[in-house]
Short mmCIF file of all heavy atoms in Angstrom, two decimals:
data_model
loop_
_atom_site.label_atom_id
_atom_site.label_comp_id
_atom_site.label_asym_id
_atom_site.label_seq_id
_atom_site.Cartn_x
_atom_site.Cartn_y
_atom_site.Cartn_z
N MET A 1 85.09 79.68 -3.60
CA MET A 1 86.31 79.03 -3.56
C MET A 1 86.51 78.37 -2.19
O MET A 1 86.33 79.04 -1.18
CB MET A 1 87.49 80.01 -3.93
CG MET A 1 88.81 79.36 -3.78
SD MET A 1 90.16 80.58 -4.07
CE MET A 1 91.17 79.62 -5.06
N SER A 2 86.84 77.15 -2.18
CA SER A 2 87.07 76.43 -0.92
C SER A 2 88.49 76.71 -0.31
O SER A 2 89.40 77.06 -1.03
CB SER A 2 86.69 74.91 -1.05
OG SER A 2 87.67 74.38 -1.95
N ASN A 3 88.57 76.48 0.92
CA ASN A 3 89.80 76.72 1.65
C ASN A 3 90.85 75.59 1.24
O ASN A 3 90.64 74.48 1.44
CB ASN A 3 89.49 76.62 3.13
CG ASN A 3 90.74 76.91 3.96
OD1 ASN A 3 91.86 76.92 3.55
ND2 ASN A 3 90.52 77.23 5.26
N PRO A 4 92.02 76.00 0.66
CA PRO A 4 92.99 74.99 0.21
C PRO A 4 93.61 74.22 1.40
O PRO A 4 94.22 73.18 1.09
CB PRO A 4 93.97 75.92 -0.60
CG PRO A 4 93.81 77.15 -0.05
CD PRO A 4 92.38 77.32 0.35
N PHE A 5 93.47 74.75 2.61
CA PHE A 5 94.05 74.10 3.75
C PHE A 5 93.12 73.02 4.35
O PHE A 5 93.56 72.22 5.18
CB PHE A 5 94.36 75.07 4.88
CG PHE A 5 95.49 75.99 4.57
CD1 PHE A 5 95.28 77.13 3.83
CD2 PHE A 5 96.87 75.63 4.86
CE1 PHE A 5 96.41 77.97 3.50
CE2 PHE A 5 97.89 76.43 4.54
CZ PHE A 5 97.65 77.57 3.89
N GLU A 6 91.98 72.86 3.82
CA GLU A 6 90.94 71.98 4.27
C GLU A 6 90.42 70.96 3.27
O GLU A 6 89.34 70.40 3.40
CB GLU A 6 89.72 72.73 4.93
CG GLU A 6 90.15 73.62 6.10
CD GLU A 6 90.70 72.83 7.25
OE1 GLU A 6 90.30 71.70 7.51
OE2 GLU A 6 91.58 73.41 7.96
N GLN A 7 91.21 70.66 2.28
CA GLN A 7 90.72 69.69 1.17
C GLN A 7 91.45 68.44 1.33
O GLN A 7 92.65 68.25 0.87
CB GLN A 7 91.00 70.36 -0.14
CG GLN A 7 90.08 71.63 -0.30
CD GLN A 7 90.35 72.28 -1.64
OE1 GLN A 7 91.32 71.94 -2.46
NE2 GLN A 7 89.56 73.25 -1.93
N ALA A 8 90.88 67.41 1.95
CA ALA A 8 91.57 66.22 2.22
C ALA A 8 91.89 65.36 0.94
O ALA A 8 92.84 64.59 0.98
CB ALA A 8 90.67 65.24 3.10
N ASP A 9 91.26 65.67 -0.17
CA ASP A 9 91.55 64.92 -1.47
C ASP A 9 92.60 65.58 -2.26
O ASP A 9 92.99 65.10 -3.39
CB ASP A 9 90.26 64.74 -2.20
CG ASP A 9 89.68 66.13 -2.63
OD1 ASP A 9 89.96 67.13 -1.99
OD2 ASP A 9 88.93 66.12 -3.62
N ARG A 10 93.31 66.68 -1.82
CA ARG A 10 94.32 67.31 -2.48
C ARG A 10 95.66 66.91 -1.98
O ARG A 10 95.77 66.37 -0.90
CB ARG A 10 94.15 68.85 -2.41
CG ARG A 10 92.90 69.37 -2.97
CD ARG A 10 92.93 69.38 -4.44
NE ARG A 10 91.68 69.84 -5.04
CZ ARG A 10 91.48 71.05 -5.53
NH1 ARG A 10 92.47 71.93 -5.54
NH2 ARG A 10 90.31 71.44 -6.03
N GLU A 11 96.79 67.20 -2.69
CA GLU A 11 98.11 66.96 -2.21
C GLU A 11 98.69 68.08 -1.35
O GLU A 11 98.37 69.27 -1.63
CB GLU A 11 99.02 66.71 -3.42
CG GLU A 11 98.69 65.29 -4.10
CD GLU A 11 99.78 64.96 -5.08
OE1 GLU A 11 100.23 65.89 -5.80
OE2 GLU A 11 100.04 63.78 -5.11
N TYR A 12 99.43 67.70 -0.40
CA TYR A 12 100.10 68.58 0.56
C TYR A 12 101.52 68.25 0.77
O TYR A 12 101.92 67.17 0.41
CB TYR A 12 99.34 68.48 1.94
CG TYR A 12 98.00 69.01 1.91
CD1 TYR A 12 96.86 68.21 1.54
CD2 TYR A 12 97.71 70.31 2.38
CE1 TYR A 12 95.60 68.71 1.51
CE2 TYR A 12 96.31 70.68 2.37
CZ TYR A 12 95.31 69.98 1.93
OH TYR A 12 94.06 70.44 1.98
N TYR A 13 102.24 69.20 1.27
CA TYR A 13 103.65 68.91 1.71
C TYR A 13 103.61 69.06 3.23
O TYR A 13 102.76 69.71 3.87
CB TYR A 13 104.55 70.05 1.14
CG TYR A 13 104.78 70.06 -0.29
CD1 TYR A 13 104.50 71.25 -0.99
CD2 TYR A 13 105.28 69.00 -0.88
CE1 TYR A 13 104.71 71.29 -2.37
CE2 TYR A 13 105.49 69.09 -2.34
CZ TYR A 13 105.16 70.18 -2.99
OH TYR A 13 105.33 70.28 -4.37
N VAL A 14 104.66 68.42 3.84
CA VAL A 14 105.04 68.69 5.25
C VAL A 14 106.19 69.69 5.16
O VAL A 14 107.15 69.31 4.44
CB VAL A 14 105.35 67.45 6.07
CG1 VAL A 14 105.83 67.81 7.48
CG2 VAL A 14 104.11 66.57 6.10
N LEU A 15 106.09 70.83 5.76
CA LEU A 15 107.15 71.79 5.80
C LEU A 15 107.74 71.79 7.18
O LEU A 15 107.15 71.52 8.20
CB LEU A 15 106.58 73.14 5.56
CG LEU A 15 105.81 73.40 4.24
CD1 LEU A 15 105.43 74.88 4.12
CD2 LEU A 15 106.57 72.92 3.05
N ARG A 16 108.99 72.28 7.32
CA ARG A 16 109.74 72.42 8.61
C ARG A 16 110.54 73.72 8.45
O ARG A 16 111.07 74.10 7.45
CB ARG A 16 110.71 71.23 8.85
CG ARG A 16 111.45 71.34 10.11
CD ARG A 16 112.29 70.06 10.38
NE ARG A 16 113.29 70.05 9.26
CZ ARG A 16 113.81 68.85 8.94
NH1 ARG A 16 113.50 67.69 9.49
NH2 ARG A 16 114.78 68.86 7.94
N ASN A 17 110.51 74.41 9.57
CA ASN A 17 111.27 75.64 9.65
C ASN A 17 112.61 75.52 10.48
O ASN A 17 112.96 74.42 10.87
CB ASN A 17 110.41 76.84 10.18
CG ASN A 17 110.00 76.65 11.61
OD1 ASN A 17 110.55 75.81 12.38
ND2 ASN A 17 108.98 77.43 12.03
N ALA A 18 113.31 76.58 10.62
CA ALA A 18 114.62 76.55 11.32
C ALA A 18 114.49 76.06 12.76
O ALA A 18 115.41 75.65 13.37
CB ALA A 18 115.30 77.88 11.17
N GLU A 19 113.26 76.34 13.33
CA GLU A 19 112.98 75.90 14.71
C GLU A 19 112.55 74.45 14.81
O GLU A 19 112.08 73.94 15.82
CB GLU A 19 111.96 76.83 15.35
CG GLU A 19 112.54 78.21 15.69
CD GLU A 19 113.47 78.23 16.90
OE1 GLU A 19 113.47 77.22 17.65
OE2 GLU A 19 114.24 79.16 16.99
N GLU A 20 112.52 73.72 13.61
CA GLU A 20 112.10 72.33 13.51
C GLU A 20 110.68 72.15 13.80
O GLU A 20 110.23 71.08 14.17
CB GLU A 20 113.02 71.43 14.37
CG GLU A 20 114.40 71.52 13.79
CD GLU A 20 115.30 70.54 14.59
OE1 GLU A 20 114.95 69.86 15.54
OE2 GLU A 20 116.52 70.40 14.11
N GLN A 21 109.86 73.23 13.61
CA GLN A 21 108.38 73.15 13.72
C GLN A 21 107.89 72.62 12.40
O GLN A 21 108.46 72.91 11.37
CB GLN A 21 107.80 74.52 14.09
CG GLN A 21 108.30 74.93 15.40
CD GLN A 21 107.95 76.40 15.75
OE1 GLN A 21 108.17 77.30 14.86
NE2 GLN A 21 107.40 76.65 16.87
N HIS A 22 106.78 71.91 12.35
CA HIS A 22 106.26 71.33 11.18
C HIS A 22 104.89 71.97 10.78
O HIS A 22 104.08 72.39 11.72
CB HIS A 22 106.08 69.81 11.34
CG HIS A 22 107.33 69.03 11.31
ND1 HIS A 22 108.27 69.21 12.38
CD2 HIS A 22 107.87 68.21 10.51
CE1 HIS A 22 109.32 68.40 12.19
NE2 HIS A 22 109.13 67.76 11.02
N SER A 23 104.51 71.87 9.58
CA SER A 23 103.23 72.46 9.06
C SER A 23 102.84 71.58 7.88
O SER A 23 103.64 71.18 7.05
CB SER A 23 103.43 73.88 8.67
OG SER A 23 102.10 74.38 8.21
N VAL A 24 101.49 71.40 7.75
CA VAL A 24 100.90 70.76 6.51
C VAL A 24 100.65 71.91 5.61
O VAL A 24 99.94 72.90 6.04
CB VAL A 24 99.65 69.90 6.84
CG1 VAL A 24 98.98 69.49 5.61
CG2 VAL A 24 99.99 68.81 7.82
N TRP A 25 101.10 71.85 4.37
CA TRP A 25 100.94 73.00 3.45
C TRP A 25 100.40 72.55 2.07
O TRP A 25 100.98 71.55 1.57
CB TRP A 25 102.30 73.67 3.31
CG TRP A 25 102.29 75.01 2.61
CD1 TRP A 25 102.53 75.28 1.32
CD2 TRP A 25 101.88 76.14 3.20
NE1 TRP A 25 102.33 76.60 1.10
CE2 TRP A 25 101.97 77.15 2.26
CE3 TRP A 25 101.49 76.58 4.46
CZ2 TRP A 25 101.68 78.58 2.43
CZ3 TRP A 25 101.23 77.90 4.76
CH2 TRP A 25 101.30 78.86 3.72
N PRO A 26 99.40 73.16 1.58
CA PRO A 26 98.84 72.77 0.22
C PRO A 26 99.94 72.84 -0.88
O PRO A 26 100.73 73.83 -1.03
CB PRO A 26 97.74 73.82 -0.08
CG PRO A 26 97.44 74.39 1.30
CD PRO A 26 98.74 74.32 2.11
N ALA A 27 100.03 71.86 -1.64
CA ALA A 27 101.08 71.75 -2.73
C ALA A 27 100.83 72.70 -3.80
O ALA A 27 101.80 73.12 -4.51
CB ALA A 27 101.10 70.33 -3.35
N VAL A 28 99.62 73.30 -3.92
CA VAL A 28 99.33 74.23 -4.97
C VAL A 28 99.75 75.69 -4.48
O VAL A 28 99.66 76.61 -5.33
CB VAL A 28 97.80 74.22 -5.35
CG1 VAL A 28 97.41 72.88 -5.89
CG2 VAL A 28 96.94 74.63 -4.13
N ILE A 29 100.11 75.93 -3.34
CA ILE A 29 100.65 77.28 -2.84
C ILE A 29 102.08 77.28 -2.71
O ILE A 29 102.66 76.27 -2.03
CB ILE A 29 99.91 77.55 -1.50
CG1 ILE A 29 98.37 77.62 -1.73
CG2 ILE A 29 100.34 78.91 -1.04
CD1 ILE A 29 97.60 77.81 -0.42
N PRO A 30 102.81 78.19 -3.21
CA PRO A 30 104.26 78.23 -3.01
C PRO A 30 104.72 78.18 -1.51
O PRO A 30 104.02 78.72 -0.65
CB PRO A 30 104.68 79.67 -3.61
CG PRO A 30 103.51 79.92 -4.58
CD PRO A 30 102.33 79.39 -3.95
N VAL A 31 105.82 77.48 -1.32
CA VAL A 31 106.34 77.37 -0.01
C VAL A 31 106.85 78.62 0.55
O VAL A 31 107.59 79.41 -0.20
CB VAL A 31 107.50 76.27 0.07
CG1 VAL A 31 108.15 76.16 1.36
CG2 VAL A 31 106.96 74.91 -0.45
N PRO A 32 106.40 79.06 1.65
CA PRO A 32 106.85 80.40 2.22
C PRO A 32 108.39 80.41 2.54
O PRO A 32 108.90 79.35 2.95
CB PRO A 32 105.96 80.60 3.44
CG PRO A 32 105.43 79.29 3.83
CD PRO A 32 105.47 78.42 2.57
N ALA A 33 108.93 81.57 2.52
CA ALA A 33 110.37 81.74 2.93
C ALA A 33 110.54 81.32 4.32
O ALA A 33 109.67 81.46 5.20
CB ALA A 33 110.67 83.20 2.81
N GLY A 34 111.69 80.59 4.53
CA GLY A 34 112.00 80.13 5.89
C GLY A 34 111.55 78.72 6.08
O GLY A 34 111.81 78.21 7.17
N TRP A 35 110.84 78.11 5.22
CA TRP A 35 110.34 76.78 5.33
C TRP A 35 110.87 75.87 4.30
O TRP A 35 111.20 76.36 3.22
CB TRP A 35 108.79 76.68 5.35
CG TRP A 35 108.15 77.35 6.43
CD1 TRP A 35 107.92 78.71 6.63
CD2 TRP A 35 107.66 76.73 7.66
NE1 TRP A 35 107.29 79.00 7.75
CE2 TRP A 35 107.05 77.83 8.42
CE3 TRP A 35 107.54 75.43 8.05
CZ2 TRP A 35 106.48 77.61 9.67
CZ3 TRP A 35 106.91 75.27 9.26
CH2 TRP A 35 106.39 76.24 10.12
N GLU A 36 111.09 74.55 4.61
CA GLU A 36 111.54 73.55 3.54
C GLU A 36 110.62 72.39 3.56
O GLU A 36 110.01 72.01 4.63
CB GLU A 36 112.97 73.12 3.91
CG GLU A 36 113.02 72.32 5.23
CD GLU A 36 114.48 71.71 5.43
OE1 GLU A 36 115.20 71.41 4.48
OE2 GLU A 36 114.86 71.58 6.63
N VAL A 37 110.49 71.77 2.40
CA VAL A 37 109.65 70.57 2.22
C VAL A 37 110.43 69.48 2.82
O VAL A 37 111.64 69.18 2.38
CB VAL A 37 109.30 70.34 0.81
CG1 VAL A 37 108.60 69.04 0.59
CG2 VAL A 37 108.54 71.49 0.23
N VAL A 38 109.83 68.58 3.76
CA VAL A 38 110.47 67.46 4.30
C VAL A 38 109.71 66.19 3.86
O VAL A 38 110.23 65.02 4.19
CB VAL A 38 110.70 67.54 5.80
CG1 VAL A 38 111.71 68.69 6.10
CG2 VAL A 38 109.40 67.77 6.50
N TYR A 39 108.56 66.37 3.32
CA TYR A 39 107.65 65.21 2.96
C TYR A 39 106.66 65.64 1.98
O TYR A 39 106.07 66.79 2.11
CB TYR A 39 107.02 64.62 4.22
CG TYR A 39 106.20 63.35 3.86
CD1 TYR A 39 106.70 62.16 3.65
CD2 TYR A 39 104.70 63.53 3.83
CE1 TYR A 39 105.96 61.03 3.41
CE2 TYR A 39 104.01 62.40 3.47
CZ TYR A 39 104.56 61.16 3.28
OH TYR A 39 103.76 60.04 2.96
N GLY A 40 106.31 64.79 1.03
CA GLY A 40 105.22 64.96 0.12
C GLY A 40 105.78 65.33 -1.24
O GLY A 40 107.04 65.36 -1.47
N PRO A 41 104.90 65.55 -2.22
CA PRO A 41 103.46 65.75 -2.04
C PRO A 41 102.71 64.40 -1.70
O PRO A 41 103.15 63.32 -2.20
CB PRO A 41 102.99 66.32 -3.31
CG PRO A 41 103.93 65.81 -4.36
CD PRO A 41 105.22 65.65 -3.63
N ALA A 42 101.73 64.49 -0.83
CA ALA A 42 100.94 63.28 -0.47
C ALA A 42 99.52 63.87 0.05
O ALA A 42 99.46 65.05 0.26
CB ALA A 42 101.68 62.50 0.65
N LEU A 43 98.62 62.93 0.17
CA LEU A 43 97.37 63.30 0.71
C LEU A 43 97.53 63.67 2.12
O LEU A 43 98.49 63.28 2.87
CB LEU A 43 96.40 62.13 0.61
CG LEU A 43 95.99 61.68 -0.81
CD1 LEU A 43 95.04 60.47 -0.79
CD2 LEU A 43 95.31 62.83 -1.55
N LYS A 44 96.57 64.54 2.53
CA LYS A 44 96.66 65.15 3.89
C LYS A 44 96.85 64.20 5.08
O LYS A 44 97.67 64.35 5.90
CB LYS A 44 95.44 66.11 4.11
CG LYS A 44 95.60 67.01 5.38
CD LYS A 44 94.53 68.12 5.39
CE LYS A 44 94.74 68.98 6.50
NZ LYS A 44 93.68 70.09 6.54
N PRO A 45 96.04 63.13 5.10
CA PRO A 45 96.20 62.14 6.22
C PRO A 45 97.59 61.56 6.24
O PRO A 45 98.16 61.32 7.39
CB PRO A 45 95.20 61.05 5.89
CG PRO A 45 94.13 61.72 4.96
CD PRO A 45 94.91 62.74 4.21
N LEU A 46 98.24 61.34 5.17
CA LEU A 46 99.67 60.87 5.11
C LEU A 46 100.55 61.84 5.66
O LEU A 46 101.61 61.61 6.35
CB LEU A 46 100.02 60.34 3.72
CG LEU A 46 99.36 59.13 3.23
CD1 LEU A 46 99.67 58.87 1.73
CD2 LEU A 46 99.58 57.97 4.09
N CYS A 47 100.37 63.17 5.29
CA CYS A 47 101.20 64.20 5.88
C CYS A 47 101.09 64.38 7.41
O CYS A 47 101.99 64.49 8.06
CB CYS A 47 100.88 65.56 5.20
SG CYS A 47 101.30 65.60 3.43
N GLN A 48 99.81 64.23 7.81
CA GLN A 48 99.55 64.26 9.28
C GLN A 48 100.24 63.09 9.95
O GLN A 48 100.77 63.31 11.07
CB GLN A 48 98.14 64.30 9.57
CG GLN A 48 97.51 65.61 9.06
CD GLN A 48 95.97 65.64 9.04
OE1 GLN A 48 95.28 64.60 8.68
NE2 GLN A 48 95.38 66.71 9.39
N LEU A 49 100.26 61.96 9.37
CA LEU A 49 100.92 60.79 9.96
C LEU A 49 102.38 61.01 10.03
O LEU A 49 103.09 60.66 10.96
CB LEU A 49 100.52 59.48 9.18
CG LEU A 49 101.12 58.18 9.56
CD1 LEU A 49 100.61 57.92 11.01
CD2 LEU A 49 100.80 57.09 8.65
N TYR A 50 103.00 61.59 8.91
CA TYR A 50 104.42 61.83 8.93
C TYR A 50 104.73 62.73 10.14
O TYR A 50 105.79 62.48 10.88
CB TYR A 50 104.79 62.57 7.60
CG TYR A 50 106.32 62.97 7.60
CD1 TYR A 50 107.27 62.13 7.20
CD2 TYR A 50 106.64 64.22 8.08
CE1 TYR A 50 108.58 62.49 7.22
CE2 TYR A 50 107.92 64.58 8.17
CZ TYR A 50 108.92 63.71 7.72
OH TYR A 50 110.24 64.07 7.71
N ILE A 51 104.00 63.80 10.35
CA ILE A 51 104.20 64.75 11.42
C ILE A 51 104.14 64.01 12.78
O ILE A 51 104.99 64.08 13.63
CB ILE A 51 103.24 65.88 11.39
CG1 ILE A 51 103.59 66.77 10.29
CG2 ILE A 51 103.23 66.66 12.77
CD1 ILE A 51 102.67 67.92 9.99
N GLU A 52 103.14 63.15 12.95
CA GLU A 52 102.94 62.37 14.20
C GLU A 52 104.09 61.48 14.47
O GLU A 52 104.59 61.36 15.62
CB GLU A 52 101.64 61.55 14.19
CG GLU A 52 100.44 62.36 14.32
CD GLU A 52 99.19 61.54 14.06
OE1 GLU A 52 99.22 60.30 14.26
OE2 GLU A 52 98.14 62.10 13.86
N GLU A 53 104.69 60.92 13.45
CA GLU A 53 105.79 60.01 13.65
C GLU A 53 107.19 60.62 13.75
O GLU A 53 108.13 60.07 14.14
CB GLU A 53 105.85 58.97 12.43
CG GLU A 53 104.64 58.06 12.50
CD GLU A 53 104.61 57.11 11.31
OE1 GLU A 53 105.36 57.31 10.29
OE2 GLU A 53 103.80 56.19 11.35
N ASN A 54 107.25 61.89 13.21
CA ASN A 54 108.62 62.48 13.11
C ASN A 54 108.84 63.77 13.91
O ASN A 54 109.96 64.24 14.12
CB ASN A 54 108.88 62.87 11.59
CG ASN A 54 109.14 61.61 10.84
OD1 ASN A 54 110.12 61.05 10.85
ND2 ASN A 54 108.03 61.23 10.20
N TRP A 55 107.72 64.40 14.38
CA TRP A 55 107.90 65.63 15.25
C TRP A 55 107.50 65.26 16.64
O TRP A 55 106.36 65.45 17.13
CB TRP A 55 106.98 66.70 14.61
CG TRP A 55 107.16 68.11 15.27
CD1 TRP A 55 108.20 68.54 15.99
CD2 TRP A 55 106.27 69.17 15.27
NE1 TRP A 55 108.11 69.82 16.39
CE2 TRP A 55 106.83 70.23 15.91
CE3 TRP A 55 104.98 69.32 14.69
CZ2 TRP A 55 106.24 71.49 16.13
CZ3 TRP A 55 104.38 70.57 14.77
CH2 TRP A 55 105.03 71.69 15.51
N LEU A 56 108.43 64.63 17.29
CA LEU A 56 108.22 64.05 18.65
C LEU A 56 108.33 65.11 19.74
O LEU A 56 107.70 64.88 20.82
CB LEU A 56 109.20 62.89 18.84
CG LEU A 56 109.10 61.79 17.73
CD1 LEU A 56 110.13 60.71 18.02
CD2 LEU A 56 107.72 61.27 17.64
N ASP A 57 109.11 66.06 19.62
CA ASP A 57 109.21 67.16 20.69
C ASP A 57 108.72 68.46 20.08
O ASP A 57 109.38 69.05 19.20
CB ASP A 57 110.70 67.25 21.10
CG ASP A 57 110.90 68.08 22.31
OD1 ASP A 57 109.98 68.87 22.59
OD2 ASP A 57 111.89 67.98 22.99
N MET A 58 107.55 68.94 20.51
CA MET A 58 106.88 70.11 19.88
C MET A 58 107.62 71.45 20.28
O MET A 58 107.23 72.45 19.77
CB MET A 58 105.48 70.12 20.26
CG MET A 58 104.73 68.79 19.86
SD MET A 58 103.76 68.76 18.45
CE MET A 58 102.91 70.11 18.28
N ARG A 59 108.54 71.37 21.22
CA ARG A 59 109.19 72.58 21.65
C ARG A 59 110.06 73.10 20.52
O ARG A 59 110.69 72.31 19.75
CB ARG A 59 110.00 72.36 22.91
CG ARG A 59 109.29 71.94 24.17
CD ARG A 59 110.19 71.68 25.26
NE ARG A 59 111.00 70.52 24.93
CZ ARG A 59 112.17 70.10 25.56
NH1 ARG A 59 112.47 70.78 26.65
NH2 ARG A 59 112.82 69.11 25.16
N PRO A 60 110.08 74.44 20.24
CA PRO A 60 111.04 74.94 19.30
C PRO A 60 112.46 74.54 19.53
O PRO A 60 112.82 74.34 20.72
CB PRO A 60 110.85 76.43 19.43
CG PRO A 60 109.54 76.60 20.05
CD PRO A 60 109.36 75.47 20.97
N LYS A 61 113.25 74.41 18.55
CA LYS A 61 114.67 73.92 18.64
C LYS A 61 115.49 74.85 19.63
O LYS A 61 116.25 74.40 20.45
CB LYS A 61 115.35 74.02 17.33
CG LYS A 61 116.76 73.49 17.33
CD LYS A 61 117.36 73.53 15.88
CE LYS A 61 118.70 73.11 15.92
NZ LYS A 61 119.32 73.07 14.51
N SER A 62 115.24 76.16 19.54
CA SER A 62 115.97 77.10 20.47
C SER A 62 115.55 76.81 21.92
O SER A 62 116.47 76.91 22.80
CB SER A 62 115.67 78.58 20.04
OG SER A 62 114.28 78.77 20.14
N LEU A 63 114.38 76.55 22.22
CA LEU A 63 113.94 76.24 23.63
C LEU A 63 114.60 74.86 24.04
O LEU A 63 115.11 74.78 25.20
CB LEU A 63 112.47 76.18 23.73
CG LEU A 63 111.94 75.95 25.09
CD1 LEU A 63 112.38 77.00 26.12
CD2 LEU A 63 110.36 75.88 25.05
N ARG A 64 114.51 73.91 23.21
CA ARG A 64 115.18 72.58 23.50
C ARG A 64 116.65 72.80 23.86
O ARG A 64 117.18 72.14 24.77
CB ARG A 64 114.90 71.63 22.34
CG ARG A 64 113.60 71.19 22.19
CD ARG A 64 113.46 69.96 21.25
NE ARG A 64 114.22 70.04 20.09
CZ ARG A 64 113.92 70.42 18.85
NH1 ARG A 64 112.64 70.82 18.67
NH2 ARG A 64 114.66 70.34 17.86
N SER A 65 117.33 73.62 23.08
CA SER A 65 118.73 73.83 23.25
C SER A 65 119.04 74.43 24.68
O SER A 65 120.01 74.25 25.36
CB SER A 65 119.34 74.79 22.16
OG SER A 65 119.24 74.20 20.89
N LEU A 66 118.10 75.43 25.03
CA LEU A 66 118.27 76.12 26.34
C LEU A 66 118.05 75.19 27.51
O LEU A 66 118.73 75.24 28.50
CB LEU A 66 117.30 77.29 26.41
CG LEU A 66 117.56 78.52 25.58
CD1 LEU A 66 116.39 79.56 25.72
CD2 LEU A 66 118.89 79.15 26.14
N LEU A 67 117.08 74.27 27.41
CA LEU A 67 116.59 73.45 28.42
C LEU A 67 117.35 72.15 28.48
O LEU A 67 117.23 71.43 29.42
CB LEU A 67 115.05 73.20 28.45
CG LEU A 67 114.28 74.60 28.50
CD1 LEU A 67 112.84 74.17 28.41
CD2 LEU A 67 114.59 75.26 29.85
N GLY A 68 117.94 71.74 27.37
CA GLY A 68 118.68 70.47 27.33
C GLY A 68 117.81 69.33 27.08
O GLY A 68 116.75 69.02 27.01
#
């Protein structure tokens, strides 16, 4: 069985958690608790592009709030 996280020809979601961190997640695996779908399903390169265009500050939300 191949790794479902490394199959470029499969559909994925972009997930976001409460800290506004993003992750590419295989559409065939249930979304873990604490994460929400913000994009997809789409091919992995499109999900990666979404993250590049939308996750501009990689610091967790709680740290951004502390530092301003």
Side-chain angles (χ1 to χ4, degrees):
M1 176 182 223
S2 60
N3 184 342
F5 289 88
E6 298 298 331
Q7 297 177 350
D9 62 335
R10 300 285 176 105
E11 290 191 319
Y12 291 81
Y13 294 121
V14 175
L15 306 182
R16 182 176 61 206
N17 65 16
E19 288 287 341
E20 297 181 356
Q21 297 167 310
H22 290 64
S23 178
V24 176
W25 193 260
V28 298
I29 299 176
V31 174
W35 293 82
E36 65 174 328
V37 175
V38 293
Y39 179 79
L43 294 178
K44 191 172 187 177
L46 293 174
C47 290
Q48 292 168 323
L49 181 61
Y50 176 90
I51 289 174
E52 288 175 20
E53 292 177 347
N54 291 279
W55 190 17
L56 304 177
D57 189 340
M58 307 261 318
R59 298 175 298 168
K61 183 179 179 180
S62 57
L63 181 60
R64 290 191 319 264
S65 297
L66 287 173
L67 300 177

